[in-house]
Amino acid sequence: MFLEIMAPIYPVCFTMTICISNLAKCIVSVAGGATRAALTMHQARRNNMADVVSLLMLPLVSDCPSFSLGCFFLLTALHIYANYRAVRALVIETLNEGRLWLVLKHFLQRGEVLDPTSANQMEPLWTGFWPTLSLSLGVPLHRLVSSVFELQHLVEGHQEPYLLHWDQSQNQVQVVLSQVAGPETVLRAATHGLILGALQEDGPLPRELEKLRNQIRAGPNKQSWLIVQETHQVLDQLFPKFLKGLQDVGWKTEKHQLEVDEWRATWLLSSEKKVL
């Protein structure tokens, strides 16, 4: 918008300025559209997602470039400030990776589940709260296994409709989802991945995870698939409590805002489930 206002002042560069302005608008549209849907749906309590646009000021500023420029800077500053205040006031009841990490970390350290209001207040707008773990949900099966033997290792010992691979050296978790995986499965898979990331960080953990972290630090060469198997068993006890806690304090667990790719797979589940 600033470039469009300035374009008539430099007629020699008018075409180039307008082209750059439109390119910038395209980038802003993509970036804004990626985040607007979640916020609009949050505000649309009655499923009304229509936007209301006012063109009242256009006739007042169209014939006075200096007034247009002054209004632009004033309203842009007001717009940025109002957006900052509005986002700080938001209480979103669905979990993305950042909010899930905040709530899970608090749960692991204190045994309590943060309610949406507290978690949203703790969530920084800029940086500093994303986990160091790289989590990829819904990846194709060939990224995790290249043989039936490797697939058997991932399937063994649990009945969950997802397969998880953890690269300790890069602190990267990749998850293959089954065709029957629903929102709760995706939430558990994301929680599982974030817990694996927590094993490589400092801070208090529940007794079972603290013991496992000590084993990893004592023997860093322990195979990742063995650790994943053990954390499956820990999650069998931990995740139902965490999920119930989320629901009790007001989080909407029937949907989420986690980034999930579209790949799905089908495999035979393990016939036996190991118990701690």
Side-chain angles (χ1 to χ4, degrees), residues 215-232:
Q215 293 177 3
I216 295 172
R217 291 178 176 179
N221 294 327
K222 186 174 183 179
Q223 292 182 329
S224 295
W225 65 270
L226 290 173
I227 300 172
V228 170
Q229 280 188 3
E230 294 183 39
T231 50
H232 264 297

Side-chain angles (χ1 to χ4, degrees), residues 36-207:
R36 170 186 278 186
L39 299 182
T40 306
M41 289 179 65
H42 170 75
Q43 300 290 354
R45 296 300 183 179
R46 298 184 180 180
N47 296 320
N48 176 18
M49 296 183 64
D51 286 334
V52 179
V53 180
S54 174
L55 302 179
L56 181 62
M57 290 189 64
L58 280 181
L60 302 177
V61 300
S62 58
D63 296 329
C64 184
S66 60
F67 186 50
S68 299
L69 198 59
C71 287
F72 170 77
F73 283 117
L74 174 63
L75 294 177
T76 297
L78 181 62
H79 172 78
I80 294 174
Y81 176 74
N83 270 273
Y84 171 80
R85 298 290 297 182
V87 172
R88 289 313 286 158
L90 279 174
V91 178
I92 300 178
E93 302 97 343
T94 50
L95 293 163
N96 61 5
E97 186 177 340
R99 287 188 289 275
L100 177 60
W101 172 240
L102 276 174
V103 176
L104 178 62
K105 187 176 181 180
H106 188 87
F107 176 75
L108 294 177
Q109 293 179 350
R110 303 188 182 182
E112 302 173 348
V113 177
L114 288 172
D115 61 87
T117 301
S118 300
N120 278 265
Q121 289 175 352
M122 292 173 59
E123 181 180 2
L125 293 183
W126 308 112
T127 59
F129 72 99
W130 288 98
T132 56
L133 176 81
S134 173
L135 177 64
S136 300
L137 300 168
V139 302
L141 183 62
H142 67 79
R143 289 193 188 178
L144 270 64
V145 298
S146 57
S147 67
V148 176
F149 179 73
E150 292 178 354
L151 180 60
Q152 289 173 341
H153 277 316
L154 292 180
V155 174
E156 185 179 358
H158 71 92
Q159 296 284 336
E160 298 301 325
Y162 68 87
L163 303 177
L164 187 147
H165 176 264
W166 182 34
D167 187 334
Q168 293 187 61
S169 61
Q170 299 184 4
N171 201 19
Q172 181 183 53
V173 170
Q174 294 181 309
V175 179
V176 172
L177 297 173
S178 168
Q179 296 278 5
V180 298
E184 185 175 317
T185 298
V186 174
L187 189 60
R188 171 172 168 139
T191 302
H192 194 168
L194 292 174
I195 283 178
L196 288 170
L199 294 177
Q200 292 193 330
E201 296 186 1
D202 297 322
L205 290 174
R207 180 178 55 84

Side-chain angles (χ1 to χ4, degrees), residues 239-252:
F239 184 73
K241 300 177 184 177
F242 181 56
L243 182 63
K244 185 177 185 304
L246 290 173
Q247 295 167 346
D248 288 345
V249 299
W251 290 101
K252 296 180 179 179

